[in-house]
Amino acid sequence: MKKTYFYLGLALLVAVGALWYFSPERKGETQKETEVVTQEEAKKTESTAPSASVTTPSVPQGGQRIIENGIPVTLIYLTTLGFSPNEVTITAGEEVRFVNKTDGVMRVGTKANASTSYYSSFAQPNAVGKGGTFQIGLIREGLWTYENLNAPSSGVTGVVYIK
């Protein structure tokens, strides 16, 4: 008989515990506790995460000038959106470096039907894939309109003003 009361009491205790555990009031408290923990964890993550202003790009931005062997070199990137930047101004004797950032191929040359004089028939000798570069020294004043000769119908063009 004592075992029966023991099991009956145990079943009653389990039932009351289950009612308390699944009660709507308790679920609201648990949810609030979870939200507080989540907010606290978010604050910890924010304080330990590096800020965007701290990170610096490992490669220079398009249009940026770098100095190599005493000569200014202006960087122009071929991206999926076109040349970046698509217009630059340099001084005669400076150089321009084109860098392919696309998965396609790049071969820089004078834009078809361009009215440029000195550079009117200039073309990069070989196409380059992603990460490939082409560098040219521009020594005469004027302008040079160029395009990716491997995709002339894309309308991706640019201009170098040489002063």
Side-chain angles (χ1 to χ4, degrees):
M1 186 88 153
K2 288 183 181 182
K3 283 186 178 181
T4 305
Y5 288 122
F6 172 76
Y7 289 118
L8 188 57
L10 185 60
L12 184 60
L13 184 61
V14 170
V16 170
L19 285 174
W20 171 80
Y21 184 78
F22 293 107
S23 70
E25 294 84 17
R26 185 193 170 282
K27 280 188 176 180
E29 289 174 10
T30 305
Q31 193 172 24
K32 287 178 188 174
E33 289 171 6
T34 304
E35 287 173 7
V36 169
V37 170
T38 304
Q39 289 173 355
E40 288 173 5
E41 287 176 0
K43 286 179 185 175
K44 288 177 187 175
T45 304
E46 287 174 6
S47 64
T48 58
S51 67
S53 62
V54 173
T55 38
T56 56
S58 59
V59 288
Q61 301 260 340
Q64 181 177 353
R65 287 188 179 161
I66 58 175
I67 305 294
E68 288 185 348
N69 300 320
I71 299 172
V73 179
T74 300
L75 301 174
I76 299 175
Y77 295 120
L78 176 60
T79 70
T80 56
L81 301 175
F83 289 104
S84 176
N86 63 351
E87 289 185 15
V88 296
T89 301
I90 66 168
T91 302
E94 294 181 357
E95 297 187 359
V96 177
R97 179 182 302 151
F98 295 88
V99 181
N100 186 358
K101 295 287 189 179
T102 70
D103 289 329
V105 291
M106 174 184 80
R107 184 171 165 248
V108 177
T110 301
K111 184 176 177 342
N113 301 320
S115 61
T116 59
S117 56
Y118 185 72
Y119 302 103
S120 61
S121 63
F122 187 82
Q124 177 182 354
N126 299 312
V128 294
K130 187 173 188 171
T133 63
F134 170 64
Q135 188 162 323
I136 180 173
L138 302 167
I139 56 173
R140 298 232 177 143
E141 290 183 3
L143 65 97
W144 178 42
T145 57
Y146 60 87
E147 67 183 336
N148 182 6
L149 297 174
N150 279 59
S153 61
S154 68
V156 176
T157 63
V159 178
V160 177
Y161 297 98
I162 308 146
K163 57 180 184 169

